[in-house]
Amino acid sequence: MAPVKPGAVVAVTGAAGFIGSHVCDAALAAGYHVRAVVRNPGDQEKVQHLLALNGAKERLSLHKGLLDVPGSYDEAFAGAEAVIHTAAVVEIMDVSDPEDQIVRPSVEGVKNVLASADKTTSVRRFIHTSSEIAVLDWQRPPETTFSEVDWNSSSTMASGDYYGYAKATAERIVLDHKSQCFDTLAILPGVNLGPCMTKSHTKSSAVIVRQLLFGNTQPEYHAHFVDVRDTAAAHVCALGWTPAEAGDCRRFICCSDNAMKVSELEAQLKRLFPEYKINAAPHPGPILQGVLELPLFWRVFLSEFRRAMALQQFKLDNSRVKSLLANSFRPLDDTLRDTVKSMVDTGFVKARTSGQSPV
């Protein structure tokens, strides 16, 4: 399909979310007209930050859409030239019914969104927000470098990675979808950090930084970080992307070259913010990490998925998003600095003080 150029109308689902809000911001900055689709357009606490974005007064409108309600996106998509589907369930810890709370909303939700896009002939491009976990397969050799040709086949309900299973399944549904009017693309971001526009954003993937500021326990794993503003830019660049040839891959891994264990952010944050108490409390900790190496004994403590995430260091090839979408990545220091400032300066998070002076 032809690229969707600035000036066109773009509908963004999950617009009030962490990624969705930044996608709206980036789309407005690029000159698009944005239909911000949220659960409740009348909830000022959830949407006022969208209305305050540069260009919103002239080119942003609010619309209602619910993942679990078929047809609820029809009005927002009618007449739009593109859909960016960022709406998703992001709560992956402490769920009592993963099938009902994670998998069904993601899988059935994307079917409902695609069905609404099918009802209009105006949509020419459908961009789906997936995740890097859709390509990671921990049963592959540790030296494997994963790229867009790979698919995660290890994440299943039985292995305990309900989120990865839901993400990979939903993305396959999108890329396998057949339409005479629009093509489908997927952006696969790493762990998003960056400016939080609302208090609820501090509980999204940026919660990693929030937990370090509080000194709270959180899962330890090897993460590929990306600034949420770079993820948003990738989505907007994808609107204007033209495949080099028929059959060209329609997936883009979107992560920077910054990869490390979550707990390793502690040292960098302390360097940037000596005035705050910042402590990593990883789970599993060093002692349990040793136990995880013991055959079968680890099953007492963790699922197969959690063990793999704690022990393995995955490699990702992000060359496609760099070359094809001309997407550059912010330095991690800038991302961390802006994440903390957006949390603390706004009062969203009360940081503990160390008694030292700021840098």
Side-chain angles (χ1 to χ4, degrees):
M1 301 293 174
V4 179
K5 297 181 179 180
V9 175
V10 178
V12 180
T13 73
F18 188 40
I19 294 177
S21 295
H22 282 278
V23 168
C24 289
D25 190 27
L28 287 170
Y32 291 94
H33 291 260
V34 175
R35 292 182 181 175
V37 191
V38 298
R39 294 185 63 84
N40 182 4
D43 188 341
Q44 287 301 305
E45 185 179 349
K46 297 288 181 65
V47 302
Q48 60 184 358
H49 69 288
L50 296 173
L51 298 174
L53 295 174
N54 288 334
K57 185 176 181 180
E58 299 80 18
R59 291 181 284 111
L60 182 141
S61 56
L62 297 173
H63 302 261
K64 184 174 183 176
L66 302 170
L67 281 176
D68 57 349
V69 179
S72 66
Y73 292 92
D74 292 359
E75 179 268 334
F77 292 177
E81 293 185 51
V83 171
I84 299 181
H85 177 44
T86 76
V89 175
V90 294
E91 176 56 60
I92 59 175
M93 305 295 292
D94 301 323
V95 293
S96 57
D97 187 345
E99 174 73 32
D100 188 60
Q101 293 173 262
I102 297 176
V103 177
R104 188 174 295 113
S106 181
V107 174
E108 296 305 317
V110 80
K111 290 179 180 178
N112 288 335
V113 175
L114 284 167
S116 286
D118 281 333
K119 292 178 183 178
T120 176
T121 59
S122 62
V123 174
R124 294 188 285 114
R125 177 150 294 174
F126 187 104
I127 300 173
H128 175 69
T129 307
S130 184
S131 166
E132 62 172 358
I133 203 160
V135 302
L136 298 180
D137 189 334
W138 66 78
Q139 294 178 346
R140 297 273 294 277
E143 64 273 13
T144 302
T145 297
F146 294 95
S147 70
E148 288 85 355
V149 301
D150 296 298
W151 282 93
N152 178 355
S153 60
S154 296
S155 292
T156 63
M157 296 296 289
S159 70
D161 181 16
Y162 317 115
Y163 178 76
Y165 172 71
K167 276 295 187 183
T169 302
E171 187 191 334
R172 283 188 183 276
I173 291 171
V174 171
L175 296 181
D176 289 344
H177 187 77
K178 304 300 181 186
S179 170
Q180 295 298 315
C181 298
F182 61 86
D183 56 14
T184 56
L185 281 67
I187 305 295
L188 289 67
V191 179
N192 283 276
L193 304 176
C196 297
M197 297 186 191
T198 70
K199 188 171 183 177
S200 65
H201 291 176
T202 70
K203 300 175 183 178
S204 64
S205 53
V207 74
I208 287 174
V209 173
R210 183 174 181 262
Q211 295 293 73
L212 286 162
L213 288 169
F214 287 154
N216 291 341
T217 300
Q218 63 180 323
E220 176 75 307
Y221 57 95
H222 188 256
H224 295 82
F225 295 109
V226 61
D227 193 296
V228 67
R229 293 165 293 190
D230 294 332
T231 294
H235 283 78
V236 174
C237 285
L239 289 170
W241 176 70
T242 302
E245 56 187 36
D248 199 1
C249 181
R250 291 171 287 132
R251 309 174 81 198
F252 299 92
I253 294 173
C254 184
C255 63
S256 70
D257 299 318
N258 298 301
M260 65 190 72
K261 287 188 176 295
V262 170
S263 62
E264 292 180 55
L265 291 178
E266 176 186 353
Q268 291 181 256
L269 286 168
K270 283 183 172 179
R271 173 174 52 79
L272 294 170
F273 296 97
E275 68 270 32
Y276 299 143
K277 287 183 181 179
I278 297 169
N279 304 102
H283 177 75
I287 295 177
L288 187 51
Q289 285 266 349
V291 172
L292 296 184
E293 300 284 358
L294 301 177
L296 301 181
F297 191 64
W298 55 267
R299 293 185 184 275
V300 176
F301 304 96
L302 295 173
S303 67
E304 181 184 4
F305 164 67
R306 288 295 171 200
R307 177 177 183 265
M309 291 298 104
L311 293 180
Q312 293 184 224
Q313 297 187 14
F314 299 99
K315 301 173 185 175
L316 288 173
D317 179 359
N318 62 359
S319 58
R320 289 197 78 241
V321 77
K322 286 180 176 178
S323 61
L324 296 184
L325 297 183
N327 199 45
S328 58
F329 295 100
R330 288 171 172 79
L332 183 58
D333 273 7
D334 292 353
T335 300
L336 292 174
R337 186 180 295 107
D338 292 346
T339 305
V340 171
K341 289 179 70 65
S342 73
M343 292 180 174
V344 178
D345 292 356
T346 55
F348 296 154
V349 170
K350 185 173 177 57
R352 301 168 300 154
T353 56
S354 66
Q356 297 185 44
S357 301
V359 245

